[in-house]
Amino acid sequence: MDLSVELCGVKFSNPFVLSAGPPTDDVKMIRRAFEAGWAGAILKTTSVESEVVELVYPMMAGLDFEDKKLIGLGNIDLISEHHIDEVEGRVAELKKEFPNNVVGASIMGAKKEDWQTLVRRLEAAGVDLIECSFSCPQGSMGEKPGAMVAQDPQLTKEVAGWVKAAAKRVPVFIKITPMVADVVEVGRAVKESGADGITASNTIPSLMGINLDTFEPYPSVDGKSSYSGLSGAAIKPITLHIIAELAKNVGLPISGTGGATTWQDVVEFMLVGATNVQFCTAVMRNGHRIIDDLKDGLTNYLDDKGMSGPSELIGQTLPKIVTHPELSREYKVVAEVNRKTCVKDDLCYITCRDAGHEAIELDKERLPVLDEEKCVGCGLCVAICPVWDCVKLKRVEKKEKK
Amino acid sequence: MAKRQEPPTLSPEERVKSFEEVEGVYLPHQAIAEAARCLFCHDAPCNKDCPAGIDIVKFIRRIKTKDFRSAIRAVRESNILAGVCARVCPTEKLCEKACSSTELTEPINIAALQRFVTDTEMQKGITPSAKAEPTGKKVAVTGSGPAGLAAAAELARAGHAVTIFEAKPLPGGVLTYGIPLYRLPKEVVIAEIDCIKQLGVEIKTDTPIDEKLNIDALFDQGFDAIFIATGVGKPYFVRMPGEDLEGVYSALELLSQVRVHYSKPSRGEFPLKIGIKALVIGGGNVAMDAACSFLRLGAEEVHVVCLESFEEMPAFPSEIEFAKEEGIVFHPRSKPLRIIGDENGRVKGFEGVGIRWKEPNNFSPSNAVPIEGTEFSLDVDTVVEAIGQGPDPSLAQALPGVETKGRGLIVVDEETRMTSRKGVFAGGDSVNGGDTVVQAIAEGKKAADGINKYLKSI
């Protein structure tokens, strides 16, 4: 199966790319990733030599849920400590060694001259695409410390315009933040700037938690912390929403990123409009080797679907995402409990009684019995039931209104 | 931490009623839950402890991501008999013993996960993996047990024309004539052998190698290399009074007859004359299989007499536990003295004596010293001896120029697996004297490797 995709004229041998972050801040690590089968990598965000980048440690804090470790990861990392003088050398070295892999570079500048210098030097070094970080949760450089460029549509248009004007050979992507009131407005600003695509989207500003003994927030740097950027599986639904909104309303090519962990996630990202998908936290957690699982999983899936390549997936779900008033009022489902598989935890009963429509009673054997008159088919019991193949929704004929 | 998922299993009371498979298979959500317990260690110790070389951590990752097709491919590419091994491998001594999760909770149930993927595959039919272009080379494999089958599959994949010569009417060796159905259903064996046939391997059954059809004759027929995997088919006996009585059998004979008889869709009377009070002599896995099979044949009482204590017995702890659960009566650290017959020449009893070891850690019969005053007798009507087996001595005539040692085990080069005769390779029980199925598979694969290199060199 040919898994290749094309994004703004750049060919990727598969849709799996390492995003700008810790796994792409070192040539050795990227080399291993390319050898393992990753199609491309966006080097960790670099800047002009005069910028001072001082990292603090510890910078990572995991988000666990019950016994599951790391359903999300928060970081107070900054851009790379490696400036353009080093990064341009890395780009050249990687392109020489891996001409068929995509080497992108993420950049951040404080002023027009910086942004444009970075683009020119990276193009000269042989980079395949430029990604602009407008969305680091620690804030962008420039006049408003702590604010992100991508939270201001006007500024986004202006800065993206500078970068696009300087880029003569390679496409320019703007990496946006989901932390805005209207992501479509930002997306349109990117489009108006002339930039080629959108990377959607960055980590989400978060507070990872607090040590209950010391009251120190995580990750605690000598007793204090700042807000983290949250990544990982926990943010996938937010990313899907952002990609879908941009795909439906802006019409620029999208590189999806934010919470993809498995090949199934990649399929979902593509179904709502992404052309390729960037990974970071999943690799930080399980290493480059997950590329095998991703490639094989996607190949088998496409094969089962009778599709010739991943591009066939792009945007397929978009027509099925509508506004709430457009949803059918003629459709009624009710819950159905499989009495054979039920283990009598009665969780469906509790939730329906205390948070639903009091549509479930228990019989003498403590098995749930559904009152189809009362059940509105909200789906809460299905979401809660811990048993495989037990509670399901079934479609019923809509009743005439009295 | 999440608990280890156990597949559905028949209770001891249920399972002794028939030869039905004891252990069931996971439902998909159980398999995913179990796979999700895996830590996905970098330097996966489970992988290193799989003799067949399965990339275990990879196939578990594929289950976790619900890519069952890739999971089966990861298993199959290393082990053509993966469904068999999922059932008979002593995983508690191999991959699961090595599992890092053990230190957190319990090891990942690797056997059950492998069983899940191979069962899922079998529902659709096993697809053989890709084959190399034909090399024009011919290889003869003698014996279709696990070693022979594994080697044949590897050689066929490498593009050679492979013919297996099997003495028995059905292929599979110990898989078809030894391991009881309640541990290994015949459908699994048949499906995996069919897959090997689909790779182009020809299996000539009822065709033993012997004085006439010896390795010279095989070379004359145009075979470029020969792999000997004839196993250990000759049962040993204690050599005590009463062994000639009616009702004394070797475990090999009993298990073979049981396997064949209960594989038939309609069957008459069981061909061996057995009673209702059985004794098995021996402390290995074969003895456990024989004892538990007796229960399923309807025996009311089954005894096991063996020289070793429970800790010393060569049977896997899980097998001993299994037999105990079913109510087998053990007489450990006991030595058989004689079998008593009735006036019609049938077994009617047994006498043994308790022992101690002369030297420590030497469990050979010659090291056992009877303890005076511990003589005991058992009222039994059938005796099965399961004290070990060796290569069939008559096979020597089929293997001119092949060096053997000790009780007739074939000598091979550790690296190439070639015997003293050029172009003749060997592996499995006929070399190692009797080990696990997975060890035989490992040796078959390794020999195939040696044969490939040899065929390239000639």
Side-chain angles (χ1 to χ4, degrees):
Chain A
M1 172 82 62
D2 178 8
L3 290 182
S4 67
V5 291
E6 198 174 305
L7 179 64
C8 297
V10 181
K11 184 157 179 178
F12 293 78
S13 61
N14 60 53
F16 312 115
V17 180
L18 293 180
S19 72
T24 60
D25 200 23
D26 181 285
V27 171
K28 277 207 309 262
M29 295 199 289
I30 298 174
R31 180 180 290 126
R32 272 204 307 276
F34 284 173
E35 282 165 357
W38 291 86
I42 316 293
L43 272 56
K44 195 180 180 196
T45 308
T46 191
S47 57
V48 293
E49 289 92 329
S50 56
E51 286 294 343
V52 179
V53 180
E54 263 190 303
L55 304 180
V56 296
Y57 301 94
M59 58 165 67
M60 306 284 176
L63 174 65
D64 305 340
F65 181 70
E66 293 172 353
D67 70 337
K68 283 281 174 204
K69 285 281 283 182
L70 215 76
I71 62 162
L73 178 67
N75 77 81
I76 53 168
D77 196 5
L78 297 173
I79 64 169
S80 177
E81 290 177 299
H82 304 286
H83 292 109
I84 181 67
D85 52 336
E86 251 180 286
V87 171
E88 62 190 356
R90 292 175 175 192
V91 168
E93 186 183 343
L94 285 166
K95 277 314 291 182
K96 191 176 166 198
E97 202 175 333
F98 300 97
N100 298 321
N101 288 68
V102 175
V103 177
S106 173
I107 58 171
M108 190 191 278
K111 51 186 190 287
K112 181 178 180 182
E113 187 194 333
D114 294 352
W115 285 103
Q116 295 194 330
T117 302
L118 290 167
V119 174
R120 278 194 289 269
R121 289 176 69 173
L122 286 163
E123 278 203 329
V127 84
D128 293 309
L129 67 86
I130 296 282
E131 189 176 275
C132 302
S133 176
F134 281 15
S135 48
C136 170
Q138 304 308 323
S140 303
M141 294 165 178
E143 285 155 19
K144 284 199 258 176
M148 301 179 232
V149 173
Q151 286 177 322
D152 179 340
Q154 273 310 313
L155 190 59
T156 295
K157 185 178 164 186
E158 187 183 0
V159 180
W162 300 338
V163 177
K164 181 59 189 169
K168 301 298 175 209
R169 182 176 62 80
V170 301
V172 171
F173 283 78
I174 305 300
K175 188 166 180 178
I176 59 150
T177 176
M179 198 70 166
V180 288
D182 182 3
V183 75
V184 172
E185 199 188 345
V186 181
R188 286 187 179 135
V190 173
K191 192 173 187 183
E192 284 164 21
S193 77
D196 303 275
I198 302 175
T199 301
S201 43
N202 213 317
T203 57
I204 299 169
S206 302
L207 185 63
M208 293 309 296
I210 296 165
N211 183 320
L212 298 188
D213 288 327
T214 62
F215 307 164
E216 294 169 13
Y218 293 122
S220 171
V221 180
D222 199 12
K224 295 177 181 172
S225 196
S226 63
Y227 297 122
S228 288
L230 180 65
S231 62
I235 72 166
K236 186 190 87 173
I238 297 168
T239 306
L240 283 175
H241 164 234
I242 296 290
I243 297 173
E245 272 296 275
L246 293 170
K248 283 178 86 76
N249 300 299
V250 177
L252 277 183
I254 298 167
S255 185
T257 187
T261 304
T262 63
W263 63 266
Q264 289 96 332
D265 297 336
V266 170
V267 171
E268 289 176 320
F269 277 37
M270 295 186 78
L271 285 172
V272 294
T275 298
N276 69 6
V277 179
Q278 301 184 16
F279 283 74
C280 180
T281 310
V283 170
M284 291 170 79
R285 189 180 179 198
N286 273 320
H288 297 136
R289 59 185 174 170
I290 63 168
I291 187 66
D292 291 339
D293 311 348
L294 296 170
K295 279 162 65 173
D296 280 357
L298 182 61
T299 299
N300 289 337
Y301 171 80
L302 294 170
D303 192 31
D304 287 344
K305 285 274 165 200
M307 291 182 171
S308 61
S311 299
E312 283 192 50
L313 296 166
I314 300 172
Q316 293 261 23
T317 295
L318 294 175
K320 297 178 194 288
I321 302 173
V322 295
T323 60
H324 199 272
E326 291 173 275
L327 293 171
S328 169
R329 267 67 185 170
E330 305 306 312
Y331 176 77
K332 173 157 180 174
V333 287
V334 292
E336 189 177 35
V337 178
N338 183 339
R339 293 169 64 92
K340 283 187 188 137
T341 55
C342 175
V343 297
K344 302 185 191 177
D345 53 64
D346 303 335
L347 295 178
C348 58
Y349 166 74
I350 296 168
T351 192
C352 193
R353 187 192 68 185
D354 293 357
H357 294 78
E358 299 179 288
I360 300 175
E361 292 296 334
L362 297 179
D363 69 9
K364 280 181 188 160
E365 295 168 69
R366 287 177 50 245
L367 281 164
V369 180
L370 196 96
D371 183 340
E372 288 197 9
E373 290 292 316
K374 285 186 181 170
C375 177
V376 297
C378 71
L380 185 57
C381 51
V382 180
I384 283 170
C385 178
V387 181
W388 180 76
D389 195 23
C390 184
V391 185
K392 284 178 177 165
L393 292 178
K394 67 169 180 186
R395 188 168 186 165
V396 290
E397 289 306 315
K398 174 98 176 162
K399 286 217 175 82
E400 292 296 321
K401 278 183 186 159
K402 281 174 192 165
Chain B
M1 301 301 295
K3 229 180 133 250
R4 176 174 156 121
Q5 300 276 317
E6 295 297 345
T9 304
L10 294 179
S11 70
E13 298 73 34
E14 269 304 306
R15 68 197 192 206
V16 295
K17 291 178 189 161
S18 75
F19 282 91
E20 193 187 329
E21 188 170 23
V22 169
E23 200 165 286
V25 64
Y26 281 150
L27 291 167
H29 71 291
Q30 289 179 297
I32 292 162
E34 185 62 12
R37 291 178 61 234
C38 177
L39 300 170
F40 306 109
C41 317
H42 159 59
D43 208 8
C46 51
N47 283 7
K48 289 185 196 149
D49 278 16
C50 176
I54 295 178
D55 190 344
I56 295 168
V57 73
K58 175 169 160 181
F59 97 73
I60 296 178
R61 284 208 317 268
R62 302 303 163 88
I63 295 174
K64 188 188 172 187
T65 56
K66 299 177 197 155
D67 181 6
F68 301 145
R69 265 169 80 182
S70 294
I72 186 59
R73 201 160 54 216
V75 171
R76 271 287 167 232
E77 68 194 17
S78 302
N79 191 346
I80 198 78
L81 296 169
V84 166
C85 281
R87 291 166 169 85
V88 305
C89 248
T91 47
E92 77 267 26
K93 296 178 77 162
L94 299 167
C95 53
E96 291 182 22
K97 187 179 179 192
C99 176
S100 307
S101 294
T102 311
E103 303 208 10
L104 284 176
T105 48
E106 290 172 280
I108 304 302
N109 199 334
I110 297 169
L113 287 172
Q114 185 166 318
R115 163 85 190 266
F116 169 75
V117 288
T118 51
D119 272 31
T120 306
E121 179 196 31
M122 268 211 313
Q123 286 167 5
K124 292 184 183 171
I126 310 176
T127 330
S129 53
K131 275 174 66 176
E133 288 297 304
T135 59
K137 297 278 183 356
K138 285 172 68 181
V139 184
V141 172
T142 67
S144 64
L149 289 171
E154 289 296 310
L155 293 164
R157 277 171 172 173
H160 310 307
V162 183
T163 308
I164 301 183
F165 295 86
E166 169 55 53
K168 290 238 162 67
L170 290 171
V174 70
L175 311 178
T176 301
Y177 291 100
I179 301 171
L181 289 163
Y182 59 84
R183 289 178 58 204
L184 179 61
K186 67 176 194 298
E187 292 75 17
V188 180
V189 181
I190 292 169
E192 296 197 326
I193 293 177
D194 277 348
C195 174
I196 294 166
K197 287 184 188 161
Q198 283 180 59
L199 282 165
V201 173
E202 189 193 350
I203 305 182
K204 289 188 171 173
T205 51
D206 288 316
T207 313
I209 54 163
D210 51 24
E211 196 177 352
K212 243 175 96 189
L213 184 63
N214 62 12
I215 52 178
D216 290 327
L218 291 174
F219 280 126
D220 287 345
Q221 285 184 24
F223 288 102
D224 300 287
I226 299 167
F227 177 56
I228 310 292
T230 41
V232 283
K234 178 86 179 162
Y236 295 146
F237 284 88
V238 175
R239 293 173 193 275
M240 60 181 154
E243 283 182 337
D244 53 348
L245 291 165
E246 193 182 276
V248 181
Y249 306 102
S250 71
L252 286 189
E253 188 176 6
L254 176 84
L255 291 172
S256 161
Q257 294 288 0
V258 169
R259 180 65 165 69
V260 171
H261 188 69
Y262 284 88
S263 294
K264 289 180 193 156
S266 61
R267 46 187 173 262
E269 208 177 324
F270 186 62
L272 298 183
K273 286 191 176 159
I274 54 165
I276 50 168
K277 289 182 178 180
L279 166 67
V280 176
I281 299 169
N285 292 318
V286 174
M288 301 304 114
D289 286 348
C292 296
S293 291
F294 263 127
L295 287 177
R296 287 158 175 81
L297 288 166
E300 289 171 3
E301 205 177 297
V302 181
H303 298 263
V304 168
V305 164
C306 58
L307 290 170
E308 305 88 353
S309 69
F310 283 117
E311 293 71 33
E312 294 159 351
M313 283 165 65
F316 305 140
S318 57
E319 298 287 313
I320 300 169
E321 200 45 46
F322 184 93
K324 281 183 181 169
E325 280 173 10
E326 296 191 351
I328 305 294
V329 185
F330 282 87
H331 306 270
R333 284 268 177 101
S334 298
K335 178 186 158 96
L337 293 175
R338 64 187 66 82
I339 304 166
I340 317 292
D342 65 11
E343 60 279 9
N344 300 319
R346 265 205 64 88
V347 173
K348 73 162 189 180
F350 164 86
E351 286 174 12
V353 63
I355 60 120
R356 63 180 174 80
W357 298 113
K358 206 167 2 179
E359 305 163 9
N361 300 317
N362 171 2
F363 306 126
S364 73
S366 58
N367 190 42
V369 184
I371 302 171
E372 221 173 294
T374 60
E375 291 80 6
F376 64 97
S377 60
L378 295 171
D379 180 16
V380 294
D381 53 26
T382 314
V383 174
V384 155
E385 299 197 23
I387 60 156
Q389 55 218 56
D392 186 347
S394 68
L395 276 172
Q397 294 162 329
L399 308 171
V402 173
E403 189 194 331
T404 59
K405 64 176 181 187
R407 50 199 174 102
L409 300 177
I410 300 169
V411 179
V412 294
D413 179 89
E414 191 58 39
E415 215 24 63
T416 64
R417 301 284 151 155
M418 206 191 296
T419 64
S420 57
R421 174 116 185 232
K422 194 180 166 206
V424 178
F425 298 74
D429 285 359
S430 52
V431 171
N432 66 37
D435 204 323
T436 55
V437 167
V438 71
Q439 180 58 29
I441 292 168
E443 291 183 22
K445 282 179 69 182
K446 184 144 191 204
D449 218 35
I451 293 168
N452 270 327
K453 288 190 183 123
Y454 169 75
L455 291 176
K456 275 189 194 125
S457 74
I458 57 168

